[in-house]
C-alpha cells in the first residue's frame, strides 16, 4: 500500500490579505511632509523587522520607489507601501499619526499583536 503525500511550501499571502488601513491623520501628515520636501514621489514605507523588546518591531521610512510585490494603499493623494513579507504580520492593522506627550509619530494599531512593548514600537504574535 502506498500513500501519495504532496507538500506545498508556504508563500507570502497577498491576494485575500486583509487591507491595511491608513487614517486621515497619517495621510495628511504624509502629505504635509511631502510638501515640505517638495518631492511628490515620496511614499511612506511600512515594514516589520525582527528585534525590539517584544520580538518584532515596526519600521517607517520615506521611499521614492515601489517594488513590484509591494502592497499599495492610497489615501488623500498620498501612498503608503508595504512589502508582502511585512504585510502578513500587520494584515488588518491601521497606520495612524499621533501627537502627544511622547512626541509625534506614526503608530500601528495591529489586531494580530498578542503583546506590545510600552511605547508600541515592538510586538509579538
Amino acid at each position: 500500500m502506498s500513500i501519495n503525500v504532496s507538500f506545498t511550501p508556504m508563500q507570502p499571502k497577498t491576494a485575500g490579505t486583509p487591507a491595511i488601513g491608513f487614517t486621515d491623520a497619517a495621510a495628511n501628515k504624509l502629505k504635509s511632509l511631502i510638501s515640505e520636501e517638495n518631492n511628490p514621489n515620496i511614499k511612506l514605507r511600512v515594514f516589520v523587522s525582527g528585534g525590539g523588546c517584544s520580538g518584532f518591531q515596526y519600521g517607517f521610512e520615506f521611499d521614492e520607489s515601489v517594488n513590484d510585490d509591494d502592497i499599495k494603499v492610497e489615501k488623500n493623494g498620498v501612498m503608503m507601501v508595504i512589502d508582502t513579507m511585512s504585510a502578513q504580520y500587520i494584515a488588518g492593522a491601521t497606520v495612524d499619526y499621533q501627537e502627544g506627550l511622547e512626541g509625534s509619530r506614526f503608530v500601528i494599531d495591529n489586531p494580530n499583536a498578542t503583546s506590545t512593548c510600552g511605547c508600541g514600537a515592538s510586538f509579538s504574535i
Side-chain angles (χ1 to χ4, degrees), residues 6-30:
S6 63
F7 173 74
T8 305
M10 283 185 61
Q11 297 295 319
K13 191 174 178 185
T14 53
T17 298
I20 298 165
F22 194 22
T23 66
D24 284 334
N28 291 338
K29 183 59 179 181
L30 179 57

Side-chain angles (χ1 to χ4, degrees), residues 76-111:
N76 298 349
V78 295
M79 184 183 295
M80 174 176 66
V81 295
I82 305 102
D83 65 273
T84 55
M85 291 303 290
S86 295
Q88 65 186 334
Y89 297 107
I90 58 174
T94 302
V95 175
D96 192 14
Y97 183 78
Q98 298 177 349
E99 294 181 6
L101 295 175
E102 300 164 352
S104 303
R105 61 192 174 135
F106 287 99
V107 296
I108 295 182
D109 179 17
N110 185 353

Side-chain angles (χ1 to χ4, degrees), residues 106-121:
F106 287 99
V107 296
I108 295 182
D109 179 17
N110 185 353
N112 305 305
T114 57
S115 66
T116 61
C117 67
C119 69

Side-chain angles (χ1 to χ4, degrees), residues 50-66:
C53 53
S54 293
F56 295 101
Q57 59 188 357
Y58 302 114
F60 301 95
E61 65 185 14
F62 299 112
D63 198 341
E64 292 184 14
S65 63
V66 177

Side-chain angles (χ1 to χ4, degrees), residues 45-48 67 69-71 81-88:
R45 178 166 296 281
V46 179
F47 59 93
V48 173
N67 301 322
D69 62 343
D70 281 341
I71 295 169
V81 295
I82 305 102
D83 65 273
T84 55
M85 291 303 290
S86 295
Q88 65 186 334

Side-chain angles (χ1 to χ4, degrees), residues 29-48:
K29 183 59 179 181
L30 179 57
K31 185 180 273 192
S32 171
L33 293 168
I34 289 169
S35 179
E36 286 175 22
E37 292 295 318
N38 197 24
N39 183 351
N41 297 318
I42 293 175
K43 290 124 186 92
L44 177 64
R45 178 166 296 281
V46 179
F47 59 93
V48 173

